[in-house]
Amino acid sequence: MIQTNSGLRSLVQSLRPMTSSLSKLEAYSCYTSQAASALQQATKPNSYREDEYAKVDWDNLGFGITPADFVYTMKCSIDGKFEQGELAPYGNVELSPSAAVLNYGQGLYEGTKAYRTDDGRLLLFRLDRNASRMKMGADRLCMPCPSIYQFVDAVKQTALANKRWTPPPGKGTLYIRPLLMGSGPILGLAPAPEYTFLIYASPVGNYFKEGLKPLSIYVEDEFHRATRGGAGGIKSITNYAPVLKAMARAKSRGFSDVLYLDSANKKNLEEVSSCNIFLVKGNVISTPATNGTILPGVTRRSIVEIARDHGYQVFFFFSFFFMKESCIEHTKTELKGKGSLLTERIKKNHLQKTFPKGQQVILDDPSQNIVSKSTIPFLPVIDIFC
């Protein structure tokens, strides 16, 4: 079980819409009622009033599918050029039985949310980051991808067309799921001849049934979420079904989710089934570096930036032995350039073990061009029961 840290909870809660934080991060894009009216005149998606809500029990929203009115669809052929997309009523998608996404898993998705303000506007969070991450994933899976402009515009249209499904302020969000897939038929193992980019939406509450309360996390050492050289660093659809077994077992034991270890050593922390992780000790925050097996989360990057604005030291690491703080003695630390080498003597059950030098703690994150401005005196330790 992982014990949460009140400082981190406060930090995460500070991510909720605040004028100062939003301006610093350029986090949200605001869309006025005039823009919504212009879009509706162009597409004529519905006849509902601007301030009208769908008939939903907003006080009891879970994280499940409640289809909103419209989906956005855009296609492209093998030349890689996406045609003009369009909004259409929510419904089933027709696919060939030999579609690449069904046979070979050639698909990836993004996830973002629309928030409603007290004055009725919709706010969207850093869509350009999601668009860039989809492009990175598409390159890995040999798929063409909508441009950043096309991606952002499509999400905006979807949010506005489904505005009545966006919960009242404080009641939840409109979850928006962009999906890129190889929809063309293919028999041999090769990229699909046609691709479909679509977006659907659903009003949701908290992802975990516990809401903002502390979670019990099971540390998994048998099943692995990702391997080096694989697709763990992108939002491939193939990443998620393999974790269902581990999640089901953890939930049957009373845990909320699973924290995975690296597949090579089965010792180093990576991430949870559905999110990145942070380790907190005092004003020091550590998180695994995105070195190919860990998804570079949009929220992850935002927390890093806000944390530094709030005076936290943030560090990235490739290796981390998770042990309860009382089990660890730090015997030597050497700081060199952007990383630190340390030797730890682990004292557990009256036995001592000295790990060799070379467990590297990365103080910058090359994949996201983030560089630490300070040094770390020792590797911070989270309270995890050992």
Side-chain angles (χ1 to χ4, degrees), residues 299-314:
T299 304
R300 172 185 181 273
R301 179 168 185 151
S302 302
I303 288 178
V304 167
E305 293 170 353
I306 290 179
R308 285 177 169 161
D309 284 346
H310 282 248
Y312 285 81
Q313 297 181 64
V314 182

Side-chain angles (χ1 to χ4, degrees), residues 110-113 125-136 151 155 178 235 298:
E110 281 296 323
T112 188
K113 295 177 180 180
F125 188 73
R126 310 191 89 171
L127 295 182
D128 59 325
R129 302 293 186 191
N130 294 94
S132 297
R133 189 170 63 181
M134 175 166 277
K135 177 64 169 62
M136 179 182 68
F151 182 101
V155 172
K235 285 188 74 69
V298 178

Side-chain angles (χ1 to χ4, degrees), residues 186-247:
I186 191 79
L187 185 60
L189 181 57
E194 180 188 80
Y195 295 87
T196 299
F197 175 70
L198 64 85
I199 307 175
Y200 64 91
S202 173
V204 297
N206 288 311
Y207 183 81
F208 293 102
K209 64 180 181 180
E210 295 88 348
L212 297 178
K213 296 179 181 179
L215 304 177
S216 296
I217 303 296
Y218 182 82
V219 178
E220 177 61 66
D221 59 1
E222 178 181 354
F223 298 109
H224 301 291
R225 179 192 163 273
T227 58
R228 293 179 182 177
I234 63 173
K235 285 188 74 69
S236 168
I237 62 174
T238 57
N239 288 347
Y240 296 91
V243 307
L244 297 178
K245 183 78 170 181
M247 289 178 62

Side-chain angles (χ1 to χ4, degrees), residues 25-141:
L25 293 179
E26 297 179 355
Y28 289 97
S29 296
C30 303
Y31 306 104
T32 64
S33 58
Q34 289 89 344
S37 299
L39 175 67
Q40 290 175 357
Q41 290 172 8
T43 61
K44 297 182 180 178
N46 59 51
S47 58
Y48 300 105
R49 298 194 317 270
E50 176 71 16
D51 60 348
E52 185 172 348
Y53 283 96
K55 294 182 180 179
V56 175
D57 183 0
W58 302 115
D59 292 320
N60 293 289
L61 271 181
F63 199 93
I65 185 68
T66 304
D69 293 323
F70 295 94
V71 296
Y72 181 95
T73 305
M74 181 165 54
K75 290 182 178 292
C76 89
S77 57
I78 200 167
D79 64 4
K81 295 181 180 179
F82 280 87
E83 63 188 36
Q84 181 66 38
E86 62 180 6
L87 289 163
Y90 183 97
N92 293 336
V93 176
E94 183 176 340
L95 286 173
S96 165
S98 58
V101 67
L102 298 180
N103 291 265
Y104 301 118
Q106 193 186 26
L108 53 87
Y109 75 90
E110 281 296 323
T112 188
K113 295 177 180 180
Y115 303 76
R116 188 189 292 268
T117 64
D118 291 331
D119 60 2
R121 295 177 300 150
L122 296 186
L123 306 180
L124 295 168
F125 188 73
R126 310 191 89 171
L127 295 182
D128 59 325
R129 302 293 186 191
N130 294 94
S132 297
R133 189 170 63 181
M134 175 166 277
K135 177 64 169 62
M136 179 182 68
D139 289 343
R140 176 67 175 83
L141 299 184

